[in-house]
């Protein structure tokens, strides 16, 4: 069955962790796929407000899965919008103040950081190149809009202490130092199901690329799930195909392997 839509995680899939840029081979491959009629979608854990590193292909993008699936949209139309219950947002913020860790609070349109810690700068600013968050912005104004994701900076062991206080939420960890928390049912795989229904195409007509734990659901849901060569071993284990790394023409090589582009 011909591929009609391709879904790309950003960090470690589209964008190199080494250069913080999209490799030239990836840009060309996506341009070629677009010319063949393949729709191009972003599938990221990032909130919309901090998608700051895809300008090289932004004009080619047909739609977005964001917040690990809590918000999916095409143009200005939300296909899915799944906020975290307000009392569970408050529970995490109170817990972060009590146990002294940082939390990135992600509303539909804006983000704000609660209880700034150096680990945020180390990972988000330096490692991920997220340089457009004002750490001095208060979180209270943001709480008047739907909160779609909370990103606490703590270990997996520490995470277990907050779980009983957030019974309607799930965690998608793709870094040892932080996790993304969304409402139950908000994952990339479920977002793909909703988006394909909206588009009127089948899951078998979709190919998805990823490298982190939060990509596993979409790799298992899409007709073809491709793990990058730099992906975690658990991600590779659930993929249909493992390509080369983001820095070694991984997306281009997979497109050629599956006949989406010629060369």
């Amino acid at each position: 069955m011909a591929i009609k839509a391709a879904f790309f995680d950003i960090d470690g899939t589209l964008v190199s962790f080494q250069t913080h840029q999209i490799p030239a081979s990836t840009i060309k491959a996506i341009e070629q796929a677009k010319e063949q009629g393949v729709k191009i979608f972003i599938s990221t854990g990032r909130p919309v407000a901090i998608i700051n590193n895809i300008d090289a292909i932004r004009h080619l993008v047909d739609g977005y899965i964001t917040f690990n699936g809590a918000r999916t949209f095409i143009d200005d139309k939300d296909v899915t919008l799944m906020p975290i219950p307000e009392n569970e947002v408050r529970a995490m913020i109170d817990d972060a103040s009590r146990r002294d860790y940082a939390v990135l609070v992600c509303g539909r349109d804006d983000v704000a950081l609660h209880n700034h810690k150096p680990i945020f700068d180390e990972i988000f600013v330096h490692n991920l190149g997220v340089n457009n968050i004002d750490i001095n912005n208060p979180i209270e104004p943001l709480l008047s809009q739907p909160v779609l994701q909370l990103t606490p900076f703590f270990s997996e062991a520490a995470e277990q202490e907050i779980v009983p206080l957030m019974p309607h939420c799930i965690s998608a960890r793709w870094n040892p130092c932080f996790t993304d928390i969304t409402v139950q049912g908000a994952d990339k795989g479920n977002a793909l199901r909703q988006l394909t229904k909206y588009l009127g195409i089948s899951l078998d007509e979709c190919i998805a690329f990823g490298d982190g734990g939060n990509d596993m659901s979409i790799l298992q849901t899409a007709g073809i799930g491709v793990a990058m060569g730099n992906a975690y071993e658990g991600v590779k284990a659930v993929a249909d195909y493992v390509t080369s790394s983001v820095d070694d023409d991984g997306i281009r090589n997979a497109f050629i392997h599956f006949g989406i582009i010629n060369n």
Side-chain angles (χ1 to χ4, degrees):
M1 185 174 291
I3 293 297
K4 293 185 177 179
F7 294 77
F8 301 94
D9 172 56
I10 295 179
D11 301 292
T13 299
L14 273 179
V15 176
S16 166
F17 284 126
Q18 307 302 317
T19 67
H20 303 302
Q21 295 180 345
I22 303 175
S25 68
T26 298
I27 296 170
K28 183 178 179 181
I30 290 175
E31 289 173 342
Q32 290 176 293
K34 184 83 171 183
E35 289 171 0
Q36 297 300 317
V38 177
K39 291 187 178 297
I40 305 300
F41 292 87
I42 297 299
S43 171
T44 182
R46 288 191 182 220
V48 179
I50 61 172
I51 299 177
N52 65 341
N53 54 355
I54 65 164
D55 286 349
I57 64 160
R58 195 182 295 272
H59 63 291
L60 302 171
V61 175
D62 293 287
Y64 292 80
I65 293 172
T66 58
F67 303 92
N68 285 308
R71 183 189 177 203
T72 303
F73 63 95
I74 296 174
D75 297 324
D76 292 326
K77 178 177 176 54
D78 287 335
V79 178
T80 58
L81 190 68
M82 304 174 67
I84 298 172
E86 184 178 348
N87 64 315
E88 296 186 28
V89 173
R90 291 287 184 182
M92 168 143 281
I93 292 170
D94 292 345
D95 186 68
S97 297
R98 184 172 60 254
R99 291 199 283 147
D100 199 26
Y101 57 86
V103 180
L104 188 65
V105 183
C106 307
R108 180 187 181 276
D109 304 304
D110 305 296
V111 300
L113 185 68
H114 175 67
N115 197 21
H116 173 257
K117 297 293 177 184
I119 189 70
F120 170 82
D121 302 319
E122 177 185 338
I123 295 178
F124 264 52
V125 180
H126 299 301
N127 293 353
L128 296 178
V130 178
N131 55 12
N132 61 339
I133 296 178
D134 185 347
I135 62 173
N136 297 310
N137 280 347
I139 65 167
E140 288 301 325
L142 185 145
L143 298 180
S144 64
Q145 60 184 266
V147 173
L148 302 180
Q149 185 168 283
L150 296 164
T151 301
F153 291 78
F154 55 17
S155 68
E156 193 166 357
E159 177 185 334
Q160 298 309 309
E161 297 187 38
I162 189 67
V163 169
L165 303 179
M166 306 181 74
H168 298 98
C169 291
I170 58 171
S171 173
R173 182 176 291 271
W174 55 279
N175 185 288
C177 297
F178 69 86
T179 189
D180 292 328
I181 292 177
T182 54
V183 72
Q184 288 178 6
D187 61 57
K188 293 183 181 184
N190 184 55
L192 177 63
R193 293 186 189 94
Q194 300 305 316
L195 198 50
T196 53
K197 289 178 183 177
Y198 178 81
L199 293 169
I201 63 176
S202 74
L203 292 171
D204 287 342
E205 294 171 311
C206 299
I207 186 170
F209 293 79
D211 70 298
N214 61 340
D215 297 311
M216 293 171 70
S217 63
I218 194 169
L219 297 191
Q220 292 172 297
T221 303
I224 301 172
V226 179
M228 305 302 290
N230 50 279
Y232 295 125
E233 290 306 311
V235 179
K236 293 178 181 179
V238 303
D240 299 300
Y241 180 72
V242 178
T243 188
S244 48
S245 74
V246 59
D247 295 296
D248 192 26
D249 304 331
I251 288 174
R252 176 181 178 273
N253 289 338
F255 271 0
I256 293 172
H257 175 82
F258 287 105
I260 296 169
I261 63 174
N262 293 324
N263 55 59

